[in-house]
PDB file of all heavy atoms in Angstrom:
ATOM      1  N   VAL B  17      26.758  56.943 -10.257  1.00 91.00           N
ATOM      2  CA  VAL B  17      26.477  55.934 -11.353  1.00 91.00           C
ATOM      3  C   VAL B  17      24.949  55.625 -11.339  1.00 91.00           C
ATOM      4  O   VAL B  17      24.300  55.558 -12.393  1.00 91.00           O
ATOM      5  CB  VAL B  17      27.338  54.705 -11.177  1.00 91.00           C
ATOM      6  CG1 VAL B  17      26.860  53.587 -12.177  1.00 91.00           C
ATOM      7  CG2 VAL B  17      28.711  54.989 -11.472  1.00 91.00           C
ATOM      8  N   LEU B  24      19.403  57.920 -17.606  1.00 87.00           N
ATOM      9  CA  LEU B  24      19.361  57.349 -18.958  1.00 87.00           C
ATOM     10  C   LEU B  24      18.027  56.655 -19.242  1.00 87.00           C
ATOM     11  O   LEU B  24      17.539  56.654 -20.410  1.00 87.00           O
ATOM     12  CB  LEU B  24      20.519  56.392 -19.179  1.00 87.00           C
ATOM     13  CG  LEU B  24      21.827  57.010 -19.586  1.00 87.00           C
ATOM     14  CD1 LEU B  24      22.795  55.894 -19.966  1.00 87.00           C
ATOM     15  CD2 LEU B  24      21.723  57.929 -20.713  1.00 87.00           C
ATOM     16  N   LEU B  37      24.988  61.303 -19.634  1.00 93.00           N
ATOM     17  CA  LEU B  37      26.206  60.533 -19.930  1.00 93.00           C
ATOM     18  C   LEU B  37      27.393  61.217 -19.261  1.00 93.00           C
ATOM     19  O   LEU B  37      28.293  60.548 -18.734  1.00 93.00           O
ATOM     20  CB  LEU B  37      26.430  60.422 -21.452  1.00 93.00           C
ATOM     21  CG  LEU B  37      25.737  59.303 -22.134  1.00 93.00           C
ATOM     22  CD1 LEU B  37      26.074  59.357 -23.623  1.00 93.00           C
ATOM     23  CD2 LEU B  37      26.137  57.987 -21.595  1.00 93.00           C
ATOM     24  N   LEU B  40      27.716  60.327 -15.706  1.00 94.00           N
ATOM     25  CA  LEU B  40      28.313  58.988 -15.588  1.00 94.00           C
ATOM     26  C   LEU B  40      29.842  59.063 -15.728  1.00 94.00           C
ATOM     27  O   LEU B  40      30.581  58.364 -15.028  1.00 94.00           O
ATOM     28  CB  LEU B  40      27.779  58.065 -16.638  1.00 94.00           C
ATOM     29  CG  LEU B  40      26.405  57.386 -16.372  1.00 94.00           C
ATOM     30  CD1 LEU B  40      25.954  56.649 -17.581  1.00 94.00           C
ATOM     31  CD2 LEU B  40      26.605  56.419 -15.230  1.00 94.00           C
ATOM     32  N   ALA B  44      32.880  57.886 -13.313  1.00 93.00           N
ATOM     33  CA  ALA B  44      33.986  56.972 -13.654  1.00 93.00           C
ATOM     34  C   ALA B  44      35.362  57.628 -13.354  1.00 93.00           C
ATOM     35  O   ALA B  44      36.293  56.943 -12.829  1.00 93.00           O
ATOM     36  CB  ALA B  44      33.932  56.585 -15.127  1.00 93.00           C
ATOM     37  N   ALA B  51      40.827  54.802  -7.218  1.00 90.00           N
ATOM     38  CA  ALA B  51      41.590  53.548  -7.365  1.00 90.00           C
ATOM     39  C   ALA B  51      43.098  53.886  -7.238  1.00 90.00           C
ATOM     40  O   ALA B  51      43.795  53.178  -6.625  1.00 90.00           O
ATOM     41  CB  ALA B  51      41.232  52.916  -8.703  1.00 90.00           C
ATOM     42  N   SER B  55      45.608  52.507  -4.300  1.00 83.00           N
ATOM     43  CA  SER B  55      46.826  51.745  -4.506  1.00 83.00           C
ATOM     44  C   SER B  55      48.032  52.650  -4.386  1.00 83.00           C
ATOM     45  O   SER B  55      49.124  52.298  -4.836  1.00 83.00           O
ATOM     46  CB  SER B  55      46.851  51.041  -5.877  1.00 83.00           C
ATOM     47  OG  SER B  55      46.683  52.035  -6.887  1.00 83.00           O
ATOM     48  N   GLN B  57      48.926  55.245  -5.913  1.00 83.00           N
ATOM     49  CA  GLN B  57      49.530  55.693  -7.138  1.00 83.00           C
ATOM     50  C   GLN B  57      48.698  56.825  -7.696  1.00 83.00           C
ATOM     51  O   GLN B  57      48.127  56.790  -8.752  1.00 83.00           O
ATOM     52  CB  GLN B  57      49.569  54.554  -8.206  1.00 83.00           C
ATOM     53  CG  GLN B  57      50.490  53.455  -7.891  1.00 83.00           C
ATOM     54  CD  GLN B  57      50.256  52.277  -8.781  1.00 83.00           C
ATOM     55  OE1 GLN B  57      49.148  51.724  -8.852  1.00 83.00           O
ATOM     56  NE2 GLN B  57      51.230  51.884  -9.524  1.00 83.00           N
ATOM     57  N   LEU B  64      45.178  58.677 -15.787  1.00 91.00           N
ATOM     58  CA  LEU B  64      44.014  58.009 -16.359  1.00 91.00           C
ATOM     59  C   LEU B  64      42.822  58.957 -16.332  1.00 91.00           C
ATOM     60  O   LEU B  64      42.035  59.021 -17.292  1.00 91.00           O
ATOM     61  CB  LEU B  64      43.629  56.772 -15.538  1.00 91.00           C
ATOM     62  CG  LEU B  64      44.675  55.708 -15.290  1.00 91.00           C
ATOM     63  CD1 LEU B  64      44.114  54.518 -14.640  1.00 91.00           C
ATOM     64  CD2 LEU B  64      45.376  55.403 -16.615  1.00 91.00           C
ATOM     65  N   THR B  67      42.940  61.407 -19.225  1.00 92.00           N
ATOM     66  CA  THR B  67      42.603  60.753 -20.495  1.00 92.00           C
ATOM     67  C   THR B  67      41.071  60.520 -20.576  1.00 92.00           C
ATOM     68  O   THR B  67      40.495  60.773 -21.654  1.00 92.00           O
ATOM     69  CB  THR B  67      43.298  59.335 -20.545  1.00 92.00           C
ATOM     70  OG1 THR B  67      44.673  59.569 -20.240  1.00 92.00           O
ATOM     71  CG2 THR B  67      43.200  58.785 -21.902  1.00 92.00           C
ATOM     72  N   VAL B  68      40.478  60.113 -19.501  1.00 93.00           N
ATOM     73  CA  VAL B  68      39.043  59.808 -19.548  1.00 93.00           C
ATOM     74  C   VAL B  68      38.240  61.072 -19.823  1.00 93.00           C
ATOM     75  O   VAL B  68      37.308  61.070 -20.639  1.00 93.00           O
ATOM     76  CB  VAL B  68      38.574  59.162 -18.243  1.00 93.00           C
ATOM     77  CG1 VAL B  68      37.067  59.179 -18.125  1.00 93.00           C
ATOM     78  CG2 VAL B  68      39.097  57.735 -18.137  1.00 93.00           C
ATOM     79  N   ASP B  72      36.028  61.437 -23.216  1.00 91.00           N
ATOM     80  CA  ASP B  72      34.555  61.516 -23.143  1.00 91.00           C
ATOM     81  C   ASP B  72      33.988  62.880 -23.464  1.00 91.00           C
ATOM     82  O   ASP B  72      32.830  62.968 -23.851  1.00 91.00           O
ATOM     83  CB  ASP B  72      34.085  61.026 -21.779  1.00 91.00           C
ATOM     84  CG  ASP B  72      33.993  59.472 -21.778  1.00 91.00           C
ATOM     85  OD1 ASP B  72      33.253  58.965 -22.567  1.00 91.00           O
ATOM     86  OD2 ASP B  72      34.744  58.829 -21.034  1.00 91.00           O
ATOM     87  N   VAL B  75      33.319  62.309 -27.056  1.00 93.00           N
ATOM     88  CA  VAL B  75      32.109  61.610 -27.235  1.00 93.00           C
ATOM     89  C   VAL B  75      30.909  62.487 -27.067  1.00 93.00           C
ATOM     90  O   VAL B  75      29.958  62.474 -27.832  1.00 93.00           O
ATOM     91  CB  VAL B  75      31.995  60.421 -26.256  1.00 93.00           C
ATOM     92  CG1 VAL B  75      30.671  59.729 -26.385  1.00 93.00           C
ATOM     93  CG2 VAL B  75      33.127  59.391 -26.582  1.00 93.00           C
ATOM     94  N   GLY B  79      28.031  63.387 -29.723  1.00 92.00           N
ATOM     95  CA  GLY B  79      26.625  63.134 -29.361  1.00 92.00           C
ATOM     96  C   GLY B  79      25.814  64.394 -29.543  1.00 92.00           C
ATOM     97  O   GLY B  79      24.678  64.323 -30.125  1.00 92.00           O
ATOM     98  N   LEU B  82      25.084  64.999 -33.161  1.00 90.00           N
ATOM     99  CA  LEU B  82      24.081  64.160 -33.717  1.00 90.00           C
ATOM    100  C   LEU B  82      22.663  64.673 -33.230  1.00 90.00           C
ATOM    101  O   LEU B  82      21.750  64.712 -34.036  1.00 90.00           O
ATOM    102  CB  LEU B  82      24.218  62.698 -33.174  1.00 90.00           C
ATOM    103  CG  LEU B  82      25.183  61.841 -33.972  1.00 90.00           C
ATOM    104  CD1 LEU B  82      25.339  60.495 -33.248  1.00 90.00           C
ATOM    105  CD2 LEU B  82      24.662  61.604 -35.327  1.00 90.00           C
ATOM    106  N   GLN B  85      21.741  67.630 -35.267  1.00 88.00           N
ATOM    107  CA  GLN B  85      21.359  67.216 -36.636  1.00 88.00           C
ATOM    108  C   GLN B  85      19.909  66.638 -36.604  1.00 88.00           C
ATOM    109  O   GLN B  85      19.151  66.907 -37.535  1.00 88.00           O
ATOM    110  CB  GLN B  85      22.341  66.161 -37.128  1.00 88.00           C
ATOM    111  CG  GLN B  85      22.137  65.873 -38.572  1.00 88.00           C
ATOM    112  CD  GLN B  85      22.588  66.981 -39.493  1.00 88.00           C
ATOM    113  OE1 GLN B  85      23.175  67.950 -39.030  1.00 88.00           O
ATOM    114  NE2 GLN B  85      22.223  66.838 -40.747  1.00 88.00           N
ATOM    115  N   ARG B  89      16.661  67.978 -38.749  1.00 80.00           N
ATOM    116  CA  ARG B  89      15.886  67.176 -39.739  1.00 80.00           C
ATOM    117  C   ARG B  89      14.477  66.988 -39.290  1.00 80.00           C
ATOM    118  O   ARG B  89      13.583  66.864 -40.123  1.00 80.00           O
ATOM    119  CB  ARG B  89      16.530  65.821 -39.911  1.00 80.00           C
ATOM    120  CG  ARG B  89      17.896  65.830 -40.491  1.00 80.00           C
ATOM    121  CD  ARG B  89      17.888  66.336 -41.954  1.00 80.00           C
ATOM    122  NE  ARG B  89      19.150  66.865 -42.240  1.00 80.00           N
ATOM    123  CZ  ARG B  89      19.362  67.752 -43.197  1.00 80.00           C
ATOM    124  NH1 ARG B  89      18.395  68.144 -43.977  1.00 80.00           N
ATOM    125  NH2 ARG B  89      20.580  68.200 -43.365  1.00 80.00           N
ATOM    126  N   LEU B  90      14.266  66.836 -37.996  1.00 78.00           N
ATOM    127  CA  LEU B  90      12.932  66.460 -37.527  1.00 78.00           C
ATOM    128  C   LEU B  90      12.262  67.575 -36.737  1.00 78.00           C
ATOM    129  O   LEU B  90      11.065  67.491 -36.430  1.00 78.00           O
ATOM    130  CB  LEU B  90      13.040  65.203 -36.605  1.00 78.00           C
ATOM    131  CG  LEU B  90      13.504  63.928 -37.233  1.00 78.00           C
ATOM    132  CD1 LEU B  90      13.659  62.865 -36.218  1.00 78.00           C
ATOM    133  CD2 LEU B  90      12.505  63.546 -38.353  1.00 78.00           C
ATOM    134  N   LEU B  98      11.526  59.543 -32.859  1.00 65.00           N
ATOM    135  CA  LEU B  98      12.480  58.712 -33.574  1.00 65.00           C
ATOM    136  C   LEU B  98      12.124  57.220 -33.543  1.00 65.00           C
ATOM    137  O   LEU B  98      12.959  56.392 -33.545  1.00 65.00           O
ATOM    138  CB  LEU B  98      13.831  58.800 -32.872  1.00 65.00           C
ATOM    139  CG  LEU B  98      14.586  60.154 -33.080  1.00 65.00           C
ATOM    140  CD1 LEU B  98      15.813  60.135 -32.220  1.00 65.00           C
ATOM    141  CD2 LEU B  98      14.947  60.311 -34.515  1.00 65.00           C
ATOM    142  N   SER B 100      10.959  55.213 -35.579  1.00 54.00           N
ATOM    143  CA  SER B 100      10.714  54.508 -36.847  1.00 54.00           C
ATOM    144  C   SER B 100      11.319  53.133 -36.912  1.00 54.00           C
ATOM    145  O   SER B 100      11.072  52.438 -37.842  1.00 54.00           O
ATOM    146  CB  SER B 100      11.275  55.419 -37.955  1.00 54.00           C
ATOM    147  OG  SER B 100      12.619  55.618 -37.794  1.00 54.00           O
ATOM    148  N   LEU B 101      12.155  52.848 -35.953  1.00 48.00           N
ATOM    149  CA  LEU B 101      12.929  51.563 -36.152  1.00 48.00           C
ATOM    150  C   LEU B 101      12.564  50.478 -35.131  1.00 48.00           C
ATOM    151  O   LEU B 101      13.397  49.776 -34.667  1.00 48.00           O
ATOM    152  CB  LEU B 101      14.453  51.876 -35.918  1.00 48.00           C
ATOM    153  CG  LEU B 101      15.094  52.761 -36.926  1.00 48.00           C
ATOM    154  CD1 LEU B 101      16.517  53.010 -36.560  1.00 48.00           C
ATOM    155  CD2 LEU B 101      15.027  52.201 -38.323  1.00 48.00           C
ATOM    156  N   GLY B 103      11.007  46.958 -33.671  1.00 39.00           N
ATOM    157  CA  GLY B 103      10.735  45.615 -34.149  1.00 39.00           C
ATOM    158  C   GLY B 103      12.012  44.902 -34.759  1.00 39.00           C
ATOM    159  O   GLY B 103      12.925  45.554 -35.061  1.00 39.00           O
TER     160      GLY B 103
ATOM    161  N   PHE C 131      43.986  49.658 -19.272  1.00 92.00           N
ATOM    162  CA  PHE C 131      43.444  51.033 -19.609  1.00 92.00           C
ATOM    163  C   PHE C 131      43.685  51.390 -21.050  1.00 92.00           C
ATOM    164  O   PHE C 131      42.829  51.994 -21.678  1.00 92.00           O
ATOM    165  CB  PHE C 131      44.051  52.065 -18.680  1.00 92.00           C
ATOM    166  CG  PHE C 131      43.412  53.365 -18.857  1.00 92.00           C
ATOM    167  CD1 PHE C 131      42.172  53.605 -18.248  1.00 92.00           C
ATOM    168  CD2 PHE C 131      44.001  54.394 -19.565  1.00 92.00           C
ATOM    169  CE1 PHE C 131      41.521  54.881 -18.428  1.00 92.00           C
ATOM    170  CE2 PHE C 131      43.363  55.643 -19.755  1.00 92.00           C
ATOM    171  CZ  PHE C 131      42.171  55.838 -19.211  1.00 92.00           C
ATOM    172  N   ILE C 135      41.023  52.692 -23.978  1.00 93.00           N
ATOM    173  CA  ILE C 135      41.140  53.915 -24.860  1.00 93.00           C
ATOM    174  C   ILE C 135      41.101  53.503 -26.336  1.00 93.00           C
ATOM    175  O   ILE C 135      40.461  54.186 -27.137  1.00 93.00           O
ATOM    176  CB  ILE C 135      42.267  54.827 -24.506  1.00 93.00           C
ATOM    177  CG1 ILE C 135      42.336  56.078 -25.404  1.00 93.00           C
ATOM    178  CG2 ILE C 135      43.582  54.227 -24.489  1.00 93.00           C
ATOM    179  CD1 ILE C 135      41.862  57.276 -24.697  1.00 93.00           C
ATOM    180  N   GLU C 138      37.488  52.870 -27.007  1.00 94.00           N
ATOM    181  CA  GLU C 138      36.690  54.122 -27.092  1.00 94.00           C
ATOM    182  C   GLU C 138      36.998  54.754 -28.483  1.00 94.00           C
ATOM    183  O   GLU C 138      36.066  55.337 -29.101  1.00 94.00           O
ATOM    184  CB  GLU C 138      37.111  55.049 -25.927  1.00 94.00           C
ATOM    185  CG  GLU C 138      36.186  56.193 -25.717  1.00 94.00           C
ATOM    186  CD  GLU C 138      34.835  55.801 -25.206  1.00 94.00           C
ATOM    187  OE1 GLU C 138      34.631  54.627 -24.929  1.00 94.00           O
ATOM    188  OE2 GLU C 138      33.951  56.678 -25.071  1.00 94.00           O
ATOM    189  N   VAL C 142      34.263  55.858 -31.274  1.00 93.00           N
ATOM    190  CA  VAL C 142      34.173  57.200 -31.834  1.00 93.00           C
ATOM    191  C   VAL C 142      34.299  57.187 -33.333  1.00 93.00           C
ATOM    192  O   VAL C 142      33.570  57.872 -34.066  1.00 93.00           O
ATOM    193  CB  VAL C 142      35.202  58.134 -31.222  1.00 93.00           C
ATOM    194  CG1 VAL C 142      35.263  59.448 -31.932  1.00 93.00           C
ATOM    195  CG2 VAL C 142      34.876  58.343 -29.787  1.00 93.00           C
ATOM    196  N   ALA C 149      26.004  56.818 -38.755  1.00 89.00           N
ATOM    197  CA  ALA C 149      25.074  57.892 -39.030  1.00 89.00           C
ATOM    198  C   ALA C 149      25.489  58.629 -40.302  1.00 89.00           C
ATOM    199  O   ALA C 149      25.312  59.816 -40.422  1.00 89.00           O
ATOM    200  CB  ALA C 149      24.996  58.885 -37.902  1.00 89.00           C
ATOM    201  N   ARG C 152      23.282  61.393 -43.060  1.00 83.00           N
ATOM    202  CA  ARG C 152      22.794  62.266 -41.989  1.00 83.00           C
ATOM    203  C   ARG C 152      21.536  63.025 -42.365  1.00 83.00           C
ATOM    204  O   ARG C 152      21.012  63.750 -41.541  1.00 83.00           O
ATOM    205  CB  ARG C 152      23.886  63.183 -41.511  1.00 83.00           C
ATOM    206  CG  ARG C 152      24.155  64.175 -42.566  1.00 83.00           C
ATOM    207  CD  ARG C 152      25.667  64.518 -42.597  1.00 83.00           C
ATOM    208  NE  ARG C 152      25.905  65.154 -43.849  1.00 83.00           N
ATOM    209  CZ  ARG C 152      26.058  66.397 -44.019  1.00 83.00           C
ATOM    210  NH1 ARG C 152      26.075  67.168 -43.010  1.00 83.00           N
ATOM    211  NH2 ARG C 152      26.233  66.914 -45.218  1.00 83.00           N
ATOM    212  N   ASP C 153      21.057  62.827 -43.615  1.00 83.00           N
ATOM    213  CA  ASP C 153      19.759  63.411 -43.913  1.00 83.00           C
ATOM    214  C   ASP C 153      18.608  62.465 -43.652  1.00 83.00           C
ATOM    215  O   ASP C 153      17.462  62.901 -43.707  1.00 83.00           O
ATOM    216  CB  ASP C 153      19.725  63.793 -45.396  1.00 83.00           C
ATOM    217  CG  ASP C 153      20.787  64.792 -45.713  1.00 83.00           C
ATOM    218  OD1 ASP C 153      21.226  65.491 -44.750  1.00 83.00           O
ATOM    219  OD2 ASP C 153      21.222  64.953 -46.855  1.00 83.00           O
ATOM    220  N   ALA C 156      16.188  57.951 -39.951  1.00 85.00           N
ATOM    221  CA  ALA C 156      16.414  56.573 -39.414  1.00 85.00           C
ATOM    222  C   ALA C 156      17.897  56.375 -39.118  1.00 85.00           C
ATOM    223  O   ALA C 156      18.193  55.787 -38.041  1.00 85.00           O
ATOM    224  CB  ALA C 156      15.946  55.548 -40.418  1.00 85.00           C
ATOM    225  N   LEU C 158      20.132  58.683 -38.364  1.00 87.00           N
ATOM    226  CA  LEU C 158      20.498  59.512 -37.263  1.00 87.00           C
ATOM    227  C   LEU C 158      20.097  58.828 -35.944  1.00 87.00           C
ATOM    228  O   LEU C 158      20.782  58.809 -34.969  1.00 87.00           O
ATOM    229  CB  LEU C 158      19.828  60.847 -37.402  1.00 87.00           C
ATOM    230  CG  LEU C 158      20.454  61.799 -38.334  1.00 87.00           C
ATOM    231  CD1 LEU C 158      19.600  63.076 -38.396  1.00 87.00           C
ATOM    232  CD2 LEU C 158      21.847  62.216 -37.864  1.00 87.00           C
ATOM    233  N   GLU C 159      18.843  58.243 -35.999  1.00 85.00           N
ATOM    234  CA  GLU C 159      18.390  57.548 -34.793  1.00 85.00           C
ATOM    235  C   GLU C 159      19.317  56.444 -34.430  1.00 85.00           C
ATOM    236  O   GLU C 159      19.740  56.188 -33.274  1.00 85.00           O
ATOM    237  CB  GLU C 159      16.972  57.063 -34.931  1.00 85.00           C
ATOM    238  CG  GLU C 159      16.587  56.270 -33.736  1.00 85.00           C
ATOM    239  CD  GLU C 159      15.238  55.578 -33.835  1.00 85.00           C
ATOM    240  OE1 GLU C 159      14.688  55.619 -34.909  1.00 85.00           O
ATOM    241  OE2 GLU C 159      14.854  54.989 -32.842  1.00 85.00           O
ATOM    242  N   LEU C 165      25.427  55.510 -29.982  1.00 93.00           N
ATOM    243  CA  LEU C 165      26.378  56.318 -29.169  1.00 93.00           C
ATOM    244  C   LEU C 165      25.998  56.236 -27.684  1.00 93.00           C
ATOM    245  O   LEU C 165      26.811  56.012 -26.840  1.00 93.00           O
ATOM    246  CB  LEU C 165      26.268  57.789 -29.645  1.00 93.00           C
ATOM    247  CG  LEU C 165      27.216  58.758 -28.979  1.00 93.00           C
ATOM    248  CD1 LEU C 165      27.885  59.630 -29.955  1.00 93.00           C
ATOM    249  CD2 LEU C 165      26.530  59.660 -27.912  1.00 93.00           C
ATOM    250  N   ALA C 170      27.528  54.432 -22.389  1.00 93.00           N
ATOM    251  CA  ALA C 170      27.181  53.930 -21.041  1.00 93.00           C
ATOM    252  C   ALA C 170      28.009  52.689 -20.764  1.00 93.00           C
ATOM    253  O   ALA C 170      28.480  52.497 -19.630  1.00 93.00           O
ATOM    254  CB  ALA C 170      25.686  53.644 -20.999  1.00 93.00           C
ATOM    255  N   VAL C 173      31.529  53.372 -19.716  1.00 94.00           N
ATOM    256  CA  VAL C 173      31.656  53.870 -18.348  1.00 94.00           C
ATOM    257  C   VAL C 173      31.730  52.688 -17.368  1.00 94.00           C
ATOM    258  O   VAL C 173      32.523  52.695 -16.410  1.00 94.00           O
ATOM    259  CB  VAL C 173      30.505  54.825 -17.954  1.00 94.00           C
ATOM    260  CG1 VAL C 173      30.481  55.055 -16.480  1.00 94.00           C
ATOM    261  CG2 VAL C 173      30.720  56.139 -18.709  1.00 94.00           C
ATOM    262  N   LEU C 176      35.049  51.315 -17.302  1.00 94.00           N
ATOM    263  CA  LEU C 176      36.016  52.139 -16.518  1.00 94.00           C
ATOM    264  C   LEU C 176      35.879  51.850 -15.063  1.00 94.00           C
ATOM    265  O   LEU C 176      36.878  51.760 -14.354  1.00 94.00           O
ATOM    266  CB  LEU C 176      35.646  53.607 -16.773  1.00 94.00           C
ATOM    267  CG  LEU C 176      36.294  54.259 -17.961  1.00 94.00           C
ATOM    268  CD1 LEU C 176      35.895  55.720 -18.037  1.00 94.00           C
ATOM    269  CD2 LEU C 176      37.812  54.191 -17.872  1.00 94.00           C
ATOM    270  N   LEU C 177      34.636  51.629 -14.577  1.00 93.00           N
ATOM    271  CA  LEU C 177      34.533  51.285 -13.155  1.00 93.00           C
ATOM    272  C   LEU C 177      35.239  49.960 -12.874  1.00 93.00           C
ATOM    273  O   LEU C 177      35.878  49.834 -11.833  1.00 93.00           O
ATOM    274  CB  LEU C 177      33.027  51.197 -12.833  1.00 93.00           C
ATOM    275  CG  LEU C 177      32.232  52.504 -12.856  1.00 93.00           C
ATOM    276  CD1 LEU C 177      30.811  52.297 -12.553  1.00 93.00           C
ATOM    277  CD2 LEU C 177      32.817  53.479 -11.800  1.00 93.00           C
ATOM    278  N   GLY C 180      38.804  50.592 -12.588  1.00 92.00           N
ATOM    279  CA  GLY C 180      39.072  51.157 -11.269  1.00 92.00           C
ATOM    280  C   GLY C 180      39.161  50.097 -10.169  1.00 92.00           C
ATOM    281  O   GLY C 180      40.111  50.104  -9.364  1.00 92.00           O
ATOM    282  N   LEU C 183      42.379  48.138 -10.622  1.00 90.00           N
ATOM    283  CA  LEU C 183      43.586  48.915 -10.215  1.00 90.00           C
ATOM    284  C   LEU C 183      43.672  49.041  -8.688  1.00 90.00           C
ATOM    285  O   LEU C 183      44.759  48.995  -8.127  1.00 90.00           O
ATOM    286  CB  LEU C 183      43.522  50.276 -10.930  1.00 90.00           C
ATOM    287  CG  LEU C 183      44.601  51.230 -10.462  1.00 90.00           C
ATOM    288  CD1 LEU C 183      45.997  50.690 -10.961  1.00 90.00           C
ATOM    289  CD2 LEU C 183      44.428  52.615 -11.118  1.00 90.00           C
ATOM    290  N   GLY C 187      46.940  47.208  -8.043  1.00 84.00           N
ATOM    291  CA  GLY C 187      47.915  48.220  -8.156  1.00 84.00           C
ATOM    292  C   GLY C 187      48.647  48.217  -9.501  1.00 84.00           C
ATOM    293  O   GLY C 187      49.611  48.957  -9.673  1.00 84.00           O
ATOM    294  N   ASP C 230      19.478  48.354 -35.607  1.00 89.00           N
ATOM    295  CA  ASP C 230      19.307  49.706 -36.222  1.00 89.00           C
ATOM    296  C   ASP C 230      20.636  50.132 -36.853  1.00 89.00           C
ATOM    297  O   ASP C 230      20.653  50.592 -37.982  1.00 89.00           O
ATOM    298  CB  ASP C 230      18.924  50.727 -35.150  1.00 89.00           C
ATOM    299  CG  ASP C 230      17.625  50.364 -34.530  1.00 89.00           C
ATOM    300  OD1 ASP C 230      16.881  49.588 -35.136  1.00 89.00           O
ATOM    301  OD2 ASP C 230      17.305  50.894 -33.462  1.00 89.00           O
ATOM    302  N   GLN C 234      21.039  50.538 -40.876  1.00 88.00           N
ATOM    303  CA  GLN C 234      20.970  51.903 -41.431  1.00 88.00           C
ATOM    304  C   GLN C 234      22.329  52.429 -41.971  1.00 88.00           C
ATOM    305  O   GLN C 234      22.380  53.332 -42.753  1.00 88.00           O
ATOM    306  CB  GLN C 234      20.573  52.887 -40.332  1.00 88.00           C
ATOM    307  CG  GLN C 234      19.147  52.662 -39.841  1.00 88.00           C
ATOM    308  CD  GLN C 234      18.183  52.689 -40.967  1.00 88.00           C
ATOM    309  OE1 GLN C 234      18.300  53.520 -41.862  1.00 88.00           O
ATOM    310  NE2 GLN C 234      17.165  51.863 -40.922  1.00 88.00           N
ATOM    311  N   ARG C 296      18.161  43.889 -41.898  1.00 91.00           N
ATOM    312  CA  ARG C 296      17.805  43.724 -40.508  1.00 91.00           C
ATOM    313  C   ARG C 296      17.863  42.252 -40.119  1.00 91.00           C
ATOM    314  O   ARG C 296      18.334  41.913 -39.068  1.00 91.00           O
ATOM    315  CB  ARG C 296      16.416  44.248 -40.262  1.00 91.00           C
ATOM    316  CG  ARG C 296      16.305  45.573 -39.700  1.00 91.00           C
ATOM    317  CD  ARG C 296      14.910  46.025 -39.410  1.00 91.00           C
ATOM    318  NE  ARG C 296      14.625  46.080 -38.006  1.00 91.00           N
ATOM    319  CZ  ARG C 296      15.060  47.016 -37.159  1.00 91.00           C
ATOM    320  NH1 ARG C 296      15.818  48.001 -37.657  1.00 91.00           N
ATOM    321  NH2 ARG C 296      14.767  47.077 -35.943  1.00 91.00           N
ATOM    322  N   TYR C 300      20.249  40.692 -37.224  1.00 92.00           N
ATOM    323  CA  TYR C 300      19.793  39.784 -36.137  1.00 92.00           C
ATOM    324  C   TYR C 300      20.536  38.493 -36.145  1.00 92.00           C
ATOM    325  O   TYR C 300      20.851  37.884 -35.113  1.00 92.00           O
ATOM    326  CB  TYR C 300      18.293  39.547 -36.194  1.00 92.00           C
ATOM    327  CG  TYR C 300      17.494  40.656 -35.544  1.00 92.00           C
ATOM    328  CD1 TYR C 300      16.535  41.353 -36.262  1.00 92.00           C
ATOM    329  CD2 TYR C 300      17.705  40.993 -34.226  1.00 92.00           C
ATOM    330  CE1 TYR C 300      15.811  42.349 -35.638  1.00 92.00           C
ATOM    331  CE2 TYR C 300      16.980  41.991 -33.596  1.00 92.00           C
ATOM    332  CZ  TYR C 300      16.046  42.688 -34.320  1.00 92.00           C
ATOM    333  OH  TYR C 300      15.360  43.642 -33.739  1.00 92.00           O
TER     334      TYR C 300
END
Side-chain angles (χ1 to χ4, degrees):
Chain B
V17 170
L24 275 190
L37 275 179
L40 276 173
S55 59
Q57 290 169 302
L64 305 187
T67 311
V68 168
D72 277 299
V75 172
L82 277 175
Q85 188 70 12
R89 296 293 153 202
L90 295 177
L98 288 174
S100 57
L101 297 177
Chain C
F131 187 76
I135 180 108
E138 195 68 5
V142 170
R152 67 216 162 103
D153 298 338
L158 282 175
E159 175 187 4
L165 182 136
V173 166
L176 275 181
L177 292 176
L183 176 64
D230 300 342
Q234 295 304 322
R296 263 181 110 74
Y300 277 123

